[in-house]
């Protein structure tokens, strides 16, 4: 049996193989999504499965399964939490059964996705990974459902970009348009699959997770500070950003959002920086993820239809 590491020690589990990284570069195409609930009872709702697919010119460019744990999940920490880019897979690895099988749910998802991409088809039977097949058996009907849907153009258009910032964090922005209007604008920052790739020491514990989906994520103190500079978490800030973009139909206008004002410390987590940097003279620090978001938003605007730039927000560090 593989070595079992206690989930909350935050040491890297060296036998975990799955990746949480999005495909790098710009991707555009027709967007399809299917959802399915399973595992519930007449008294409690079940797990929520999801399959997202992006196609262009008859080719499947992207296919990703995910699952949100049921609200009544026995481990309350994961109640209503994303199982793909939270620390769910790390927690699973602490179970003897999973360690013996050498895989977790995310491995099972990736195994089926690889077959979809290789076959360029959502139809037929798929080989399931032994030890990670339970949820996948419940989610496969979503693939068969979308197999018919992708034969026709979708009213939803996908515009996405992912970029490895080079210090163990990948920015991922995707925008969905319906009838020429933005209906979704989701930005996330995904940590590297291995701790050695994450330069900032306080962030290493979040390997194989994303800021948006990690239940335990909190930003470290900015340089020169001895306390939290931002009292609103990443997920809430990005939800507020999305609501703003959907309302204004402008990707670059961030005026009035929390923590857009203050000192710009640039790409904060790009080096092994100790906390004893010179104390800042500023009373506030701008939230660094806004700069990362704007960096990708400007690049995505080059492939989006005209008219979504809007008022220019704060300059990023380029």
């Amino acid at each position: 049996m593989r070595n079992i590491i206690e989930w909350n020690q935050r040491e890297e589990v060296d036998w975990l193989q799955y990746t949480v990284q999005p495909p790098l570069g710009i991707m555009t195409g027709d967007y399809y999504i299917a959802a399915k609930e399973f595992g519930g009872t007449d008294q409690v709702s079940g797990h929520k499965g999801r399959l997202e697919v992006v196609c262009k010119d008859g080719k499947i460019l992207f296919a990703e399964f995910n699952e949100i744990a049921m609200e009544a999940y026995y481990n309350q920490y994961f109640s209503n939490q994303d199982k793909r880019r939270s620390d769910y897979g790390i927690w699973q690895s602490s179970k003897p059964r999973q360690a013996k099988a050498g895989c977790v749910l995310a491995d099972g998802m990736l195994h089926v996705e690889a077959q979809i991409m290789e076959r360029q088809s959502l139809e037929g039977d798929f080989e399931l990974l032994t030890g990670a097949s339970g949820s996948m058996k419940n989610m496969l009907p979503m693939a068969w459902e979308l197999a018919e849907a992708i034969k026709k153009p979708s009213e939803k258009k996908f515009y996405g970009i992912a970029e490895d910032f080079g210090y163990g964090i990948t920015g991922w922005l995707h925008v969905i348009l319906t009838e020429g209007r933005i209906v979704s604008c989701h930005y996330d920052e995904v940590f590297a699959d291995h701790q050695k790739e994450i330069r900032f020491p306080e962030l290493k514990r979040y390997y194989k997770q994303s800021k948006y989906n990690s239940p335990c994520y909190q930003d470290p103190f900015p340089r020169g500070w001895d306390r939290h500079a931002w009292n609103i978490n990443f997920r809430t800030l990005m939800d507020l950003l999305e609501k703003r973009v959907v309302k204004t139909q402008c990707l670059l206008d961030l005026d009035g959002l929390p923590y857009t004002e203050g000192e710009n410390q640039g790409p904060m987590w790009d080096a092994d920086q100790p906390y004893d940097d010179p104390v800042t003279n500023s009373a506030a620090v701008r939230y660094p993820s806004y700069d990362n978001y704007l960096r990708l938003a400007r690049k995505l605007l080059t492939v989006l239809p005209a008219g979504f730039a809007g008022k220019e927000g704060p300059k990023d560090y380029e």
Side-chain angles (χ1 to χ4, degrees):
M1 184 183 297
R2 290 166 175 79
N3 183 40
I4 296 176
I5 296 176
E6 286 298 324
W7 156 62
N8 58 5
Q9 288 183 3
R10 306 299 175 184
E11 298 176 18
E12 182 167 350
V13 181
D14 57 12
W15 59 266
L16 283 177
Q17 299 182 39
Y18 70 90
T19 179
V20 297
Q21 300 306 305
L24 298 178
I26 291 178
M27 179 188 300
T28 66
D30 287 315
Y31 176 75
Y32 306 85
I33 185 169
K36 184 176 185 292
E37 185 174 305
F38 54 91
T41 70
D42 57 350
Q43 294 179 310
V44 296
S45 60
H47 305 291
K48 297 176 179 64
R50 183 175 75 233
L51 172 60
E52 297 174 282
V53 176
V54 178
C55 298
K56 188 172 185 178
D57 299 329
K59 182 178 181 179
I60 298 175
L61 303 180
F62 177 76
E64 183 173 286
F65 288 94
N66 204 347
E67 181 183 333
I68 305 299
M70 62 194 302
E71 185 176 4
Y73 197 59
Y74 71 95
N75 184 338
Q76 292 180 191
Y77 177 84
F78 291 110
S79 172
N80 279 332
Q81 296 298 326
D82 177 288
K83 291 188 176 183
R84 179 115 185 191
R85 292 184 176 87
S86 68
D87 45 350
Y88 182 82
I90 300 170
W91 171 66
Q92 273 195 309
S93 72
S94 68
K95 296 174 173 291
R97 181 175 66 88
Q98 302 298 152
K100 183 177 180 180
C103 62
V104 296
L105 173 60
D107 292 302
M109 294 176 180
L110 285 159
H111 187 64
V112 175
E113 292 161 10
Q115 295 171 68
I116 291 173
M117 299 303 293
E118 181 179 1
R119 289 159 41 174
Q120 284 293 295
S121 173
L122 296 166
E123 299 179 292
D125 295 326
F126 294 92
E127 178 189 75
L128 300 182
L129 199 61
T130 302
S133 62
S135 288
M136 291 310 304
K137 290 177 181 177
N138 289 301
M139 288 197 282
L140 279 181
M142 296 188 296
W144 303 324
E145 174 187 339
L146 289 187
E148 291 301 314
I150 66 172
K151 295 177 181 178
K152 300 177 181 179
S154 173
E155 65 175 13
K156 296 181 178 180
K157 306 302 178 183
F158 181 94
Y159 298 84
I161 180 172
E163 181 176 318
D164 183 349
F165 294 147
Y167 43 89
I169 298 177
T170 296
W172 190 17
L173 170 63
H174 40 96
V175 173
I176 297 172
L177 270 58
T178 300
E179 296 182 348
R181 289 186 59 83
I182 297 174
V183 296
S184 174
C185 175
H186 183 70
Y187 178 69
D188 199 357
E189 294 185 350
V190 182
F191 291 103
D193 292 331
H194 302 287
Q195 291 182 343
K196 65 181 180 181
E197 301 169 35
I198 302 171
R199 294 185 190 172
F200 202 80
E202 294 301 309
L203 297 179
K204 290 182 179 293
R205 63 180 298 184
Y206 303 115
Y207 77 103
K208 289 189 183 294
Q209 300 167 65
S210 80
K211 291 186 180 182
Y212 191 89
N213 291 303
S214 173
C216 62
Y217 178 72
Q218 59 178 319
D219 290 294
F221 301 157
R223 298 174 188 138
W225 282 58
D226 60 358
R227 62 192 184 280
H228 290 289
W230 315 288
N231 293 320
I232 303 177
N233 63 55
F234 178 90
R235 178 184 293 187
T236 301
L237 289 173
M238 295 307 106
D239 285 345
L240 290 172
L241 185 153
E242 178 175 38
K243 290 178 181 178
R244 164 65 67 82
V245 171
V246 170
K247 180 180 179 179
T248 65
Q249 296 294 295
C250 300
L251 288 180
L252 304 182
D253 183 4
L254 307 186
D255 282 357
L257 289 176
Y259 311 125
T260 54
E261 301 297 327
E263 179 184 354
N264 178 13
Q265 294 197 346
M268 271 186 195
W269 322 124
D270 67 334
D272 298 326
Q273 283 283 355
Y275 284 145
D276 58 354
D277 283 357
V279 176
T280 176
N281 293 319
S282 175
V285 178
R286 192 169 82 224
Y287 195 59
S289 292
Y290 287 138
D291 293 293
N292 294 337
Y293 162 78
L294 288 170
R295 172 185 177 128
L296 297 191
R298 292 189 184 103
K299 294 180 179 181
L300 198 61
L301 282 168
T302 63
V303 295
L304 276 163
F308 293 114
K311 179 182 176 182
E312 179 72 6
K315 298 293 184 181
D316 63 13
Y317 48 78
E318 288 188 311

